[in-house]
Amino acid sequence: KYCNVDDVKVCAAANVCDRTDTPASSTRYTSNGAFTTASTPYDNLSNILTSMVGLLWYAQGEWRMKPAYWTEPALTLEENDLRGSITVNTRHSRRDNYNTVKGTFRGSESNWQVTDYPEVTNSAFLSADNNQESSIDLTLPFTDNSVEARRIANVSLERNRQQLTLTASFGMRAFQLQVGDNVQINNTRFGWTDQEFDITTWPLCLTDQWQLTGPTTLQELP
């Protein structure tokens, strides 16, 4: 089935991936690998997206994508933008929490054999967990060098430790936003002043009073 692609978003994502403003002065993200039709399209896309710690979503009739990269806030939402209460989760379960990332990649450094990249850990996170190592295995089938592998692992680790998420319904002014946008939230009760969040879900709903709202889920940015 033919699907439209948001060329502007895709080009912007490609430009971010091509940037070399990294500590190693290397390309930020590259995708190097192969797949067969024996795997499902979902699995193939998920594997490719690991190479840029990226998001892929379908909205307004078009496919859009975004790599892991900080962007300027698209909008600041105030308390008068709310159309209901805010649900805040400050922590996820211990089972989903980790302080170390390990995994494999394949490239010229290993003669194109699957091998481990150097693990990534954070001493502050480890200390907060009473020095008990908790790790995940992050396989990177479309990353071919250890520098990018460690960069991706570090982004994944930082994202995991940002445990503050909120769900709230906003009014019409928020309709200019979409998944992947960085927004600022001001809220006196929670003590937030220009607190930055990333939009992870953005459905459209109709309330009992026939009012359009967006019950958005947002996650705190590292």
Side-chain angles (χ1 to χ4, degrees):
K1 182 181 179 180
Y2 175 76
C3 294
N4 289 331
V5 174
D6 187 331
D7 292 332
V8 174
K9 283 286 185 183
V10 172
C11 288
N15 290 337
V16 168
C17 293
D18 288 339
R19 296 185 65 163
T20 57
D21 54 344
T22 61
S25 297
S26 59
T27 303
R28 184 171 294 276
Y29 303 119
T30 60
S31 184
N32 304 280
F35 59 85
T36 68
T37 55
S39 300
T40 65
Y42 177 85
D43 288 338
N44 289 331
L45 285 171
S46 296
N47 287 335
I48 293 171
L49 286 171
T50 64
S51 64
M52 64 174 185
V53 210
L55 292 173
L56 178 70
W57 69 96
Y58 189 75
Q60 299 174 333
E62 293 182 320
W63 286 101
R64 295 163 177 168
M65 66 175 65
K66 181 184 178 183
Y69 187 73
W70 184 86
T71 56
E72 291 286 344
L75 190 66
T76 298
L77 295 172
E78 308 288 349
E79 293 182 44
N80 57 12
D81 290 309
L82 289 168
R83 295 299 180 267
S85 60
I86 298 178
T87 300
V88 177
N89 293 318
T90 58
R91 283 185 174 274
H92 47 60
S93 68
R94 171 70 178 175
R95 178 187 59 188
D96 298 325
N97 207 36
Y98 52 87
N99 50 50
T100 302
V101 179
K102 304 176 182 179
T104 59
F105 77 106
R106 180 170 58 187
S108 59
E109 298 169 53
S110 63
N111 198 25
W112 302 100
Q113 301 301 306
V114 175
T115 190
D116 295 332
Y117 54 80
E119 69 177 47
V120 173
T121 190
N122 184 298
S123 58
F125 299 158
L126 189 62
S127 177
D129 295 337
N130 297 318
N131 291 317
Q132 295 182 354
E133 182 180 296
S134 178
S135 64
I136 63 160
D137 185 18
L138 180 63
T139 302
L140 301 174
F142 280 81
T143 300
D144 69 350
N145 66 85
S146 61
V147 173
E148 285 185 36
R150 283 177 55 83
R151 181 179 300 129
I152 292 169
N154 187 65
V155 171
S156 299
L157 179 58
E158 292 288 340
R159 276 184 173 177
N160 176 262
R161 303 300 293 207
Q162 301 306 314
Q163 302 181 39
L164 181 64
T165 61
L166 70 91
T167 303
S169 292
F170 297 98
M172 294 291 291
R173 202 168 73 90
F175 279 35
Q176 59 192 288
L177 300 171
Q178 61 179 304
V179 171
D181 278 345
N182 175 5
V183 299
Q184 292 179 324
I185 304 289
N186 290 328
N187 189 282
T188 304
R189 179 182 177 186
F190 291 102
W192 296 335
T193 301
D194 294 339
Q195 181 75 33
E196 292 189 11
F197 290 86
D198 193 47
I199 297 178
T200 57
T201 65
W202 206 116
L204 184 63
C205 292
L206 192 64
T207 67
D208 293 337
Q209 291 77 34
W210 301 98
Q211 183 179 27
L212 285 171
T213 62
T216 311
T217 303
L218 306 98
Q219 181 174 15
E220 182 185 16
L221 285 172

